[in-house]
Amino acid sequence: MTLRKTAGQYHHGDLRDALLRATGAIVKRDGPAAVTMRAVAKRAGVSEAAPYHHFTDKRELLAAAAAQGFRALGAALAASVENAVDPRDAVLALAEAWLRFALAEPGYYRLILGAHVADLDLAAIPETRAAGQAARDLVLDRIRAYLPDADLRLVFHLTWAQLHGTASLFVERELGEGFTEDNAVALARDGVARLLATFA
């Protein structure tokens, strides 16, 4: 028999962390659309009222959980350029890491960069805002190192559009059954390389 914990059986911070872990597990398995306060409570083994001790609603819970997605993306990006020497190669490595993260973690990718993000106030959660900015800054810094005289925000947004478009089409299976992950990575990498060439 499984005993369900009440909010009082957790230390204050432990309950919040447990709820975020449960949310992350649902996001990874079924995507952000599957997250409900009831489902998170059940996954965490707490009462249905427990999530409301820390989050006013599902939107706030998802916004907080997005920090985990941004941190995972940031870690993947950082690892991809750990040994990079050539500035252009570094930007292309970031592009590939970004896309591979999206393909490996479609649930988290939808949460942090999907269409429904407009409904979430990510900036209202300090750790989410910081994690998202850290990932963004890492990319901007590498673009700046390669193209110091370019409009950095323009290059960033054009690069993002290329990667996000490819990732979204692949994740939603719009590129066809025979289109593999490696095909998607090659397509995005080639697109970013051509884009960078126009600014070099």
Side-chain angles (χ1 to χ4, degrees):
M1 178 179 178
T2 301
L3 297 179
R4 178 159 296 193
K5 292 185 178 182
T6 65
Q9 290 176 282
Y10 280 96
H11 292 295
H12 189 70
D14 291 344
L15 173 59
R16 186 177 189 276
D17 289 344
L19 294 170
L20 289 175
R21 286 194 300 272
T23 303
I26 295 171
V27 167
K28 284 173 69 71
R29 186 187 64 195
D30 301 316
V35 173
T36 65
M37 299 295 264
R38 178 178 294 181
V40 169
K42 181 178 180 180
R43 177 86 187 193
V46 299
S47 70
E48 292 182 8
Y52 294 96
H53 287 271
H54 287 281
F55 306 101
T56 57
D57 55 23
K58 182 181 79 171
R59 292 173 65 251
E60 186 177 352
L61 174 60
L62 282 172
Q68 301 173 87
F70 278 122
R71 282 194 290 267
L73 173 60
L77 294 175
S80 75
V81 294
E82 188 173 359
N83 298 313
V85 177
D86 181 78
R88 177 181 178 275
D89 289 346
V91 177
L92 292 177
L94 287 172
E96 180 171 340
W98 183 300
L99 192 67
R100 288 199 183 279
F101 173 83
L103 304 187
E105 297 284 359
Y108 265 129
Y109 189 76
R110 288 189 180 102
L111 174 59
I112 64 177
L113 294 167
H116 75 285
V117 167
D119 295 329
L120 304 179
D121 189 4
L122 301 184
I125 309 295
E127 60 264 40
T128 301
R129 183 173 64 249
Q133 190 62 52
R136 178 188 176 95
D137 286 348
L138 196 159
V139 177
L140 283 170
D141 287 346
R142 292 294 181 156
I143 292 174
R144 183 183 295 110
Y146 178 51
L147 300 169
D149 298 322
D151 182 332
L152 296 180
R153 294 189 181 279
L154 176 60
V155 178
F156 174 84
H157 284 110
L158 290 173
T159 301
W160 181 16
Q162 173 73 42
L163 296 173
H164 186 59
T166 304
S168 298
L169 289 171
F170 186 86
V171 168
E172 301 302 333
R173 300 181 181 178
E174 297 289 342
L175 293 174
E177 291 295 327
F179 207 84
T180 67
E181 179 175 321
D182 286 339
N183 292 150
V185 170
L187 175 65
R189 188 181 175 98
D190 181 64
V192 172
R194 291 172 183 270
L195 169 65
L196 295 176
T198 66
F199 290 92

